[in-house]
């Protein structure tokens, strides 16, 4: 079942009166439960593509359908609402809310969705346990290591049971052990919750684990390889 | 909502120094604005009270044409019906009949046009209380020399005594206040001052045929207690009024204008002198609560026959004082306004800084699904917390000061006191009691906090997620 359908999207930035084509006519589909790595050199359009899939940025042309619904026509609060209900985000620099504890950060999107206190608590504790942070539920981000913060960020992204999770260079700031742990967690949760994961990455360890690897160059798809046996 | 309050609260705690600085700036704004306004309003109240209680009263009932033509022919009958109407009106503290006219006062040396006011010596105590104006002590260069021969006064007080030469006092406590001595400090010298400064002078009795003459006027006419003054004028319906009257006492009136031209006579004697029978010029009314003046004026105007009577308030009787207070009040408000503007930009800068440095955080929150309006709400809650804390603390801190100076007003001494007295004001500066103005300062500051949030909140509403995430 297709979760995401991208139809010939183009993104053009204008910088100092010069037009820069960041994404150039990309068309892609992502299935449910798929783990995809988008790779490519810096400036190849990975982050721009991810931002457009996540509704953070609008394509200059083309269309993106999520669960059959076009998000390119959504505006302002509708789009924010759509992101809250359908997409989980993991950022390179974690971006946890500094004044909230690990548990509160995990519950944050569920709170926005209006879930009950009990439901939020059960789900956040379950996820924090799954990412191995059951001992640090009441710690604030400043008291957590980079790897721990990224695990909280993963728990936060998954808490509201999104249709898919977008992760922009999630392992860029992590050491190899933390990267390994994060990938194991992702694998476990992917298996359990059948959530689609799309990572943009430079990291070979991530690429090895991905079932599908899309390579971008100059905003175009250079290759789209679906592996058998990975993950 | 609880989560928003929690985030807002923790954000304040996250940057304690910034929170404290912002709250402190609001605290000082509220604190100084309240203290300043309180002294202003307290001084106005005191000036009004002094002026009104000294002479004019809050309300005056006059014959309908008297206000425009202060002629004794426009007199009114002070009958039982009028007395009953006033007695049955709630909020009236006291009312007294008066006869008032202009006459010529003459001694062997000088002549001058003066205001002759006929008063009921007993009942007038409830309104202007002129008995407390009768001079019993006077400081002259001669008696100051005698005092110095007997006691050694501190240098500072000696200098100040020279400033108050020829000023009349009803009691020595006022003199001690003018030279900056507390009553117990003055007790050391009291007997000597009693001995050398005492001057004769008594208040009027009910059927007295004598006069109380204001101090400056007495000095001009060169009369003293026991001397006589010739009064000449026009009585009722153009009749001649002339007579020779002994001076019973000299009165010190804080208003220099009145002190130059006022003579009190018993009302009965003035009615005889001016051929008024039992008629009078005005009824002066004092009230329990000045704030009720306009409503009582309206009530009385409704009760009294408009073809015969008119009820005037002190704004109409003494428009100069009203304008003076309004003018002063405006300048005070401008000063407070400037203080508010400075504080406004302080708050504005803090909110703007608070938002700018958290732009990335806001970007993340919106990216993961938080509506911008909720984000605005968090920032608003933070500012309301700071605003309330600063405002309440400022209000609480000002209460003891306002209460203290209301009960123990600042009293000027020496040159400053003389300056005040020469302008006709009591040299004291009390604070106003805690009333509406107190809450208003708080409300104004909170409104400013809300206004200061407007632009930064607009910035949140226009936030672009991608730009914020890159911040």
């Amino acid at each position: 079942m297709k979760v995401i359908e991208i139809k010939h999207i183009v993104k053009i930035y204008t910088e100092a009166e010069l037009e820069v084509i960041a994404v150039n006519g990309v068309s892609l589909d992502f299935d449910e439960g798929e783990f995809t790595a988008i790779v490519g050199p810096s400036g190849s359009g990975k982050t721009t593509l991810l931002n457009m899939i996540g509704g953070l940025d609008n394509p200059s042309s083309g269309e993106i359908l999520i669960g059959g619904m076009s998000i390119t026509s959504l505006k302002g609060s509708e789009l924010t609402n759509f992101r809250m209900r359908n997409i989980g985000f993991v950022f390179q620099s974690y971006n946890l809310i500094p004044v909230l504890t690990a548990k509160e950060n995990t519950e944050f999107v569920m709170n926005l969705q209006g879930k009950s206190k009990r439901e939020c608590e059960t789900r956040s504790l379950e996820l924090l346990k799954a990412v191995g942070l059951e001992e640090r539920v009441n710690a604030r981000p400043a008291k957590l290591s980079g790897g721990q913060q990224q695990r909280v960020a993963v728990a936060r992204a998954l808490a509201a049971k999104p249709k898919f999770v977008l992760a922009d260079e999630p392992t860029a700031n992590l050491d190899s052990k933390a990267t390994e742990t994060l990938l194991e967690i992702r694998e476990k949760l992917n298996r359990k919750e059948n959530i689609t994961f799309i990572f943009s990455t430079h990291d070979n360890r991530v690429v090895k684990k991905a079932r599908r690897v899309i390579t971008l160059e100059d905003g175009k798809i250079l290759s789209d390889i679906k592996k058998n046996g990975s993950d | 909502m609880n989560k928003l309050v929690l985030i807002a609260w923790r954000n304040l705690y996250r940057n304690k120094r910034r929170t404290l600085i912002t709250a402190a700036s609001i605290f000082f704004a509220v604190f100084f604005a309240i203290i300043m306004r309180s002294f202003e309003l307290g001084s106005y109240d005191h000036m009004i009270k002094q002026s009104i209680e000294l002479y004019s009263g809050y309300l005056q009932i006059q014959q309908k044409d008297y206000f425009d033509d202060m002629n004794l022919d426009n007199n009114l009958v002070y009958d039982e019906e009028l007395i009953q109407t006033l007695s049955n009106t709630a909020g009236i503290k006291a009312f007294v009949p008066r006869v008032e006219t202009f006459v010529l006062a003459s001694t062997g040396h000088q002549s001058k046009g003066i205001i002759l006011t006929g008063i009921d010596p007993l009942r007038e105590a409830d309104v202007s209380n002129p008995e407390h104006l009768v001079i019993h002590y006077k400081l002259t260069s001669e008696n100051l020399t005698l005092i110095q021969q007997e006691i050694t006064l501190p240098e500072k007080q000696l200098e100040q005594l020279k400033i108050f030469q020829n000023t009349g006092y009803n009691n020595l406590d006022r003199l001690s206040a003018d030279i900056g001595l507390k009553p117990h400090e003055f007790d050391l010298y009291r007997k000597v001052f009693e001995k050398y400064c005492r001057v004769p002078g008594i208040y009027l009795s009910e059927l007295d045929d004598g006069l109380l003459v204001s101090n400056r006027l007495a000095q001009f006419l060169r009369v003293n207690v026991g001397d006589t003054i010739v009064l000449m004028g026009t009585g009722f319906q153009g009749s001649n009024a002339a007579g020779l009257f002994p001076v019973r006492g000299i009165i010190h009136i804080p208003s220099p204008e009145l002190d130059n031209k006022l003579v009190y006579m018993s009302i009965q004697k003035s009615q005889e002198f001016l051929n008024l029978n039992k008629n009078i010029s005005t009824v002066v009314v004092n009230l329990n609560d000045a704030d009720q003046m306009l409503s009582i004026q309206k009530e009385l105007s409704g009760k009294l026959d408009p073809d015969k009577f008119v009820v005037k308030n002190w704004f109409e009787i003494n428009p100069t004082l009203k304008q003076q207070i309004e003018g002063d009040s405006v300048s005070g408000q401008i000063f407070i306004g400037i203080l508010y503007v400075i504080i406004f930009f302080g708050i504005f800068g803090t909110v703007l800084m608070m938002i700018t440095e958290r732009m990335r955080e806001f970007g993340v929150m919106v990216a993961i699904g938080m509506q911008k309006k909720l984000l605005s709400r968090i920032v608003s809650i933070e500012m309301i917390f700071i605003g309330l804390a600063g405002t309440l603390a400022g209000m609480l801190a000002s209460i003891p000061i306002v209460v203290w100076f209301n009960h123990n007003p600042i009293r000027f001494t020496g040159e400053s006191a003389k300056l005040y007295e020469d302008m006709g004001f009591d040299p004291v500066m009390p604070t106003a009691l805690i009333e509406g103005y107190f809450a208003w300062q708080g409300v104004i500051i909170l409104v400013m906090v809300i206004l200061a949030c407007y632009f930064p909140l607009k910035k949140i509403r226009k936030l672009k997620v991608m730009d914020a995430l890159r911040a």
Side-chain angles (χ1 to χ4, degrees), chain B residues 156-305:
Chain B
K156 188 183 167 198
Q157 269 66 43
L158 199 60
E159 284 301 313
Q160 296 198 333
L161 277 173
K162 284 176 189 163
I163 296 168
F164 291 99
Q165 267 185 40
N166 296 322
T167 306
Y169 291 97
N170 179 259
N171 57 70
L172 286 175
D173 288 341
R174 180 59 193 263
L175 186 142
S176 71
D178 273 349
I179 61 170
L181 284 178
K182 293 198 170 84
H184 70 275
E185 292 170 329
F186 188 72
D187 283 345
L188 289 170
Y189 317 110
R190 192 178 292 273
K191 276 188 182 165
V192 182
F193 277 86
E194 283 274 3
K195 187 175 160 187
Y196 292 112
C197 297
R198 183 88 197 181
V199 291
I202 54 164
Y203 184 56
L204 299 176
S205 60
E206 203 170 355
L207 300 172
D208 212 312
D209 59 356
L211 307 172
L212 294 178
V213 182
S214 56
N215 193 26
R216 283 183 170 91
L217 178 63
Q219 282 170 21
F220 178 82
L221 295 174
R222 293 187 224 161
V223 291
N224 239 313
V225 173
D227 295 341
T228 51
I229 296 178
V230 174
L231 297 181
M232 284 180 290
T234 307
F236 181 52
Q237 290 184 333
S239 62
N240 274 332
L244 188 66
F245 299 92
V247 177
R248 298 276 184 246
I250 308 292
I251 49 174
H252 169 68
I253 301 173
S255 157
E257 198 193 337
L258 285 175
D259 205 37
N260 269 316
K261 59 182 177 192
L262 189 65
V263 168
Y264 280 128
M265 181 188 268
S266 76
I267 193 163
Q268 197 174 341
K269 199 70 198 169
S270 67
Q271 284 165 331
E272 284 170 23
F273 174 60
L274 299 163
N275 299 312
L276 270 174
N277 298 319
K278 292 289 173 193
N279 292 2
I280 59 165
S281 309
T282 61
V283 180
V284 176
V285 180
N286 246 6
L287 306 174
N288 290 321
D289 180 3
D291 293 339
Q292 289 188 318
M293 183 178 77
L294 295 176
S295 63
I296 294 175
Q297 181 185 19
K298 199 175 168 190
E299 187 185 340
L300 281 175
S301 299
K303 283 179 178 176
L304 297 169
D305 181 355

Side-chain angles (χ1 to χ4, degrees), chain A residues 71-193:
Chain A
I71 63 162
T72 34
S73 58
L74 294 178
K75 297 265 180 263
S77 62
E78 283 174 346
L79 194 57
T80 308
N81 214 26
F82 185 85
R83 284 197 301 268
M84 174 186 73
R85 302 207 174 277
N86 298 287
I87 311 168
F89 289 93
V90 180
F91 299 95
Q92 183 178 334
S93 44
Y94 331 129
N95 285 339
L96 298 176
I97 299 162
V99 294
L100 299 181
T101 63
K103 179 172 159 280
E104 288 162 347
N105 261 293
T106 312
E107 288 172 351
F108 189 77
V109 183
M110 287 189 284
N111 287 144
L112 294 176
Q113 288 180 338
K115 298 255 166 73
S116 73
K117 198 179 167 189
R118 176 180 272 189
E119 196 180 345
C120 292
E121 199 166 308
T122 312
R123 176 76 173 155
S124 65
L125 291 174
E126 175 192 320
L127 283 164
L128 286 170
K129 193 177 174 188
V131 297
L133 287 173
E134 64 269 40
E135 303 289 320
R136 307 303 314 270
V137 289
N138 291 319
R140 295 217 192 152
K143 300 280 178 193
L144 298 171
S145 69
Q148 287 173 327
Q149 285 188 56
Q150 197 60 303
R151 281 190 266 160
V152 177
V154 171
R156 177 179 70 181
L158 292 166
K161 299 185 178 169
K163 283 196 170 75
F164 59 93
V165 171
L166 297 174
D168 188 13
E169 308 263 8
T171 59
N173 293 327
L174 302 183
D175 59 27
S176 52
K177 197 179 166 204
T179 303
E180 208 56 51
T181 312
L182 188 72
L183 289 170
E184 279 168 22
I185 291 162
R186 186 218 59 79
E187 191 182 329
K188 197 163 67 180
L189 292 169
N190 189 212
R191 201 172 292 143
K192 194 176 168 196
E193 311 223 348

Side-chain angles (χ1 to χ4, degrees), chain A residues 51 77 83 93 98-99 104, chain B residues 10 14 360 366-367 371 466:
Chain A
N51 286 338
S77 62
R83 284 197 301 268
S93 44
V99 294
E104 288 162 347
Chain B
R10 288 193 188 160
R14 172 160 63 149
R360 186 185 172 86
V366 177
Q371 294 290 348
M466 284 314 298

